[in-house]
Amino acid sequence: MARVAIVTGGTRGIGEAVSVALKQAGYKVAANYCGNDERAKAFTEKTGITAYKWDVASFEECATGVAKVVADLGPVDIVVNNAGITRDGTMRKMGRANWDEVLDTNLGGCFNMCKAVWDGMVERQFGRVVNIGSINGQAGQYGQVNYAAAKSGIHGFTKALAQEGAPKGVTVNAIAPGYIDTDMVAAVPANVLEKIVAKIPVGRLGKAAEIARGVLFLVADDAGFVTGSTMSINGGQHMY
Ligand code: CAA
């Protein structure tokens, strides 16, 4: 039986590439999204993958959304916590709401989704959780105290939950992407982005498919000895 995977933020950017790669590898995939109905519709038309709308920042919506996926596809074996937002700004300009939004979505979303699937994974003695962190959670980034804190939190969350899952056949790993060619990175001012790309040893932005490749490795049935790890995929920008 094909394993069932949920990818949060799975209809655009890195999440879209992950959803498609998982489907191509034979998994049954549910792609979660929150805001952009038009893009989600186009994604489903293009890929044949059903898109499920809920906000990962909401504990209740995650529980209801996961229950719907279970009813449609079966018990969830794999969760890729990819949904994330930016609200960049220097400390002087950052309001409390920008802090809350980013923490609630990027880090709270991991907790909410894991809560919704964890007991089932432990009972069935199999699970794969992949949390998408960031180079900016490892190294920090000017103008991103909210995002860096949330992503850094993801790396701690991963190492803690991995210890709980290890004896139960549930692995929990993180990927720390560098700057990837997505809408999120395209929103960085061009003059700032140019300076960032100049510091990437590989000499270019990454591609979403290059992150999906890492996810496929981590979710495989025979990846059971890999847990609590962080895979940095960043073109050599931060070697950590
Ligand atoms: N280091 C030191 N100083 C910096 C700096 C840096 N990296 N970036 C900007 N500054 C300085 C500027 O030189 C400027 O100084 P002066 O006032 O003395 O000239 C000052 O900070 C203010 O800069 P801005 O005018 O750019 O300020 P702003 O408030 O308009 O914008 C900002 C600040 C929002 C942080 C903007 O610079 C920005 O968007 N930076 C990019 C942040 C970034 O990399 N985000 C990543 C998004 S993608 C992502 O997060 C995905 C992932 O996981 C990798």
Side-chain angles (χ1 to χ4, degrees):
M1 270 274 279
R3 295 210 178 272
V4 174
I6 299 179
V7 183
T8 68
T11 63
R12 297 201 287 141
I14 290 174
E16 175 176 7
V18 171
S19 297
V20 169
L22 286 170
K23 185 182 177 203
Q24 281 172 354
Y27 296 90
K28 288 199 268 181
V29 182
N32 151 269
Y33 76 103
C34 178
N36 196 327
D37 293 319
E38 223 167 272
R39 286 286 292 271
K41 193 162 165 272
F43 162 84
T44 298
E45 278 166 9
K46 192 168 71 180
T47 63
I49 299 169
T50 306
Y52 293 81
K53 186 173 186 175
W54 75 81
D55 183 353
V56 296
S58 160
F59 186 80
E60 292 74 24
E61 285 185 37
C62 285
T64 315
V66 168
K68 173 115 184 45
V69 173
V70 172
D72 291 352
L73 303 180
V76 178
D77 303 298
I78 296 162
V79 169
V80 182
N81 285 311
N82 164 75
I85 57 171
T86 52
R87 297 288 182 267
D88 294 353
T90 54
M91 187 58 126
R92 286 169 70 93
K93 293 182 189 165
M94 186 175 294
R96 174 73 204 199
N98 290 342
W99 170 266
D100 288 340
E101 268 182 284
V102 169
L103 268 290
D104 288 351
T105 301
N106 298 12
L107 183 56
C110 287
F111 177 79
N112 297 338
M113 285 302 298
C114 284
K115 274 297 276 187
V117 298
W118 191 255
D119 290 353
M121 287 181 173
V122 167
E123 268 160 37
R124 293 186 300 278
Q125 299 274 299
F126 181 88
R128 297 282 182 264
V129 176
V130 179
N131 299 317
I132 304 299
S134 168
I135 186 175
N136 294 347
Q138 297 170 310
Q141 170 62 36
Y142 190 100
Q144 278 201 314
V145 291
N146 51 1
Y147 186 89
K151 292 295 188 178
S152 191
I154 284 177
H155 295 303
F157 176 98
T158 299
K159 290 183 234 182
L161 192 57
Q163 294 181 28
E164 295 184 31
K168 309 288 182 193
V170 183
T171 67
V172 186
N173 291 285
I175 292 183
Y179 282 73
I180 308 299
D181 190 5
T182 60
D183 291 348
M184 183 183 273
V185 167
V188 174
N191 61 325
V192 177
L193 190 56
E194 205 176 291
K195 286 185 198 138
I196 291 170
V197 175
K199 289 189 190 142
I200 302 174
V202 168
R204 62 169 173 84
L205 294 175
K207 300 184 188 111
E210 291 172 313
I211 305 302
R213 190 174 162 73
V215 174
L216 280 184
F217 171 77
L218 292 170
V219 302
D221 272 28
D222 59 3
F225 204 60
V226 186
T227 197
S229 73
T230 298
M231 188 189 287
S232 296
I233 306 179
N234 61 29
Q237 191 184 346
H238 181 65
M239 299 186 187
Y240 180 76

